[in-house]
Amino acid sequence: MSSSASSVESGRAAESTPAPGPILLLGPPGVGKGTQAKMLVKQCGIPQISTGDLLRENVANCTPLGLEAKEIMSRGELVPDTLVNEMVALRLDRPDTARGYILDGYPRTQGQADWLDARQVEHPDNLPVIAVQIKVNYNQLLRRITGRRNCPVCETIYNTYMNPPEKEGVCNLDGAALVQRADDQEEIFVERMRTYEALTKPVIDHYRALGRFAEVDGDRPIEVVAADIVATVRQFREA
Ligand code: AMP
C-alpha cells in the first residue's frame, strides 16, 4: 500500500474513534511542534492549523495580511494579535475542524489565549482544549533550528545534523532543492527565543492553571513523542 493510501486508511480508522477535540501544541521554536502536528493529523484524523504556515502562505501570495506580516516575521517578532486571531477565526470556521484540530504555534500571547477561550464559550458544543507543551533543551533547539531544511514541493522537513537528505541540499522524495527559512538563522533564532520567553511562557502558565495541560519530553524519537501526546490527550478525554 502506498503511504498516501495508508494515511487515508488511518485517517478513516481515526474518524470512527471518539473525537480528539482541539489540541494545542506549545513550546519554543524548533521543539518539533510542526513535525508532531503532522504525526497527529495521521493518527487522529483532524487537521493541523499552523499559524506560521498560514502567515508564510499570505506572505508568498502578497495578500494584505502577508504584506503587513513580512517584515515583522523577518525580525523574529510576533504579528499583532488582531491580525492573527482573525486569520485563525476564518480557519476554525471551516467544516473540517468539527471533530477537533491541532493548533501549532498558536496561541502565542495571553491576548490570543483569551480570544480562544472566548471562542470556546461561544461554541459550547466544542470539546475543551487540551494544551501539550513539548520540552527540549536549548542547545538541541539551536541545532534543530539552524540545521532545518524544508522541501518546498512536498514539505518534508530535514535536518543537516540529525536527519540529512541522502544528497546534500536535495529532497530524497522529489529531487527539489531544499530551502532554509530566513528566520531560522542563528541571530533571528535568538530573537525568537527572547519573544518566546517574554510573551509565550505566560500562556503556558495560563493553561497549566486551567488544569488541561501536560508536558512531554521532546528529546526522544519522533514516533515515541507522538505516541506520548496521543496517550496524554486520550487520558484527558476519558477522565
Ligand atoms: P513559526 O513557524 O510558528 O515559528 O512562526 C514563524 C513566525 O510567524 C513567527 O516568528 C512570528 O513572526 C509569526 N507567527 C506565527 N504564529 C504566530 C502567532 N500565533 N502570533 C504572532 N505571530 C506568529
Side-chain angles (χ1 to χ4, degrees), residues 137-170:
N137 83 48
Y138 184 89
N139 287 337
Q140 182 74 354
L141 286 180
L142 186 62
R143 278 161 60 88
R144 286 186 184 201
I145 284 280
T146 55
R148 178 158 65 183
R149 300 291 182 276
N150 301 326
C151 173
V153 176
C154 68
E155 296 180 5
T156 300
I157 302 169
Y158 296 88
N159 186 285
T160 53
Y161 303 107
M162 291 166 281
N163 174 30
E166 283 157 18
K167 189 168 164 216
E168 197 185 323
V170 176

Side-chain angles (χ1 to χ4, degrees), residues 51-53 55-56 72-73 76-79 84 105-106 108 112 181 183 192:
T51 45
D53 286 351
L55 287 166
R56 279 185 287 279
I72 302 172
M73 292 171 74
E77 295 167 9
L78 293 185
V79 177
V84 179
Y106 181 97
R108 248 166 148 122
Q112 294 177 11
R181 277 171 46 177
D183 61 352
R192 287 163 72 199

